[in-house]
Amino acid sequence: MHDHRIVVQTRCERLAVFHARIAVLFKRLPMLCGFHVTQDLGITQVTVDAWPGGAPEEESSRELCAALEDLIDDSGDDSVEFLRGRTFARALH
């Protein structure tokens, strides 16, 4: 029972770090509204808020891919598990 709690706590800590990295990604790419990561780690449904003179959607998608690759390189299998099949969106408050 004690070992299970340690595993759950460790997973929660890794998930918190992952979510913090995703939040940084949205801060780094202010035009990014949301995106979906497929089961095979493809990126689809990239939505950007384009304003006059802003980065074109293709450039934003490349930046997003590079940022997610960095995240996977830094965090490894955890990031792959947390990304796979999920949709991420900017939170508006």
Side-chain angles (χ1 to χ4, degrees):
M1 181 76 162
H2 183 68
D3 289 341
H4 178 69
R5 285 187 199 172
I6 293 171
V7 169
V8 170
Q9 181 178 358
T10 302
R11 180 174 167 76
C12 288
E13 290 169 358
R14 291 190 312 241
L15 187 57
V17 169
F18 172 80
H19 282 287
R21 296 280 305 268
I22 293 293
V24 168
L25 172 67
F26 277 103
K27 284 182 183 179
R28 190 171 124 200
L29 301 171
M31 75 297 281
L32 181 63
C33 297
F35 61 96
H36 177 76
V37 180
T38 64
Q39 289 296 325
D40 62 351
L41 299 179
I43 298 174
T44 63
Q45 302 172 0
V46 176
T47 306
V48 295
D49 185 14
W51 57 86
E57 187 171 334
E58 184 178 311
E59 183 179 326
S60 298
S61 293
R62 279 195 306 268
E63 289 182 49
L64 173 61
C65 288
L68 292 177
E69 286 174 5
D70 289 345
L71 178 63
I72 290 170
D73 287 346
D74 291 347
S75 302
D77 291 339
D78 286 339
S79 291
V80 170
E81 177 186 345
F82 296 146
L83 283 169
R84 198 178 301 272
R86 292 193 53 202
T87 299
F88 299 88
R90 178 179 298 281
L92 301 175
H93 299 280

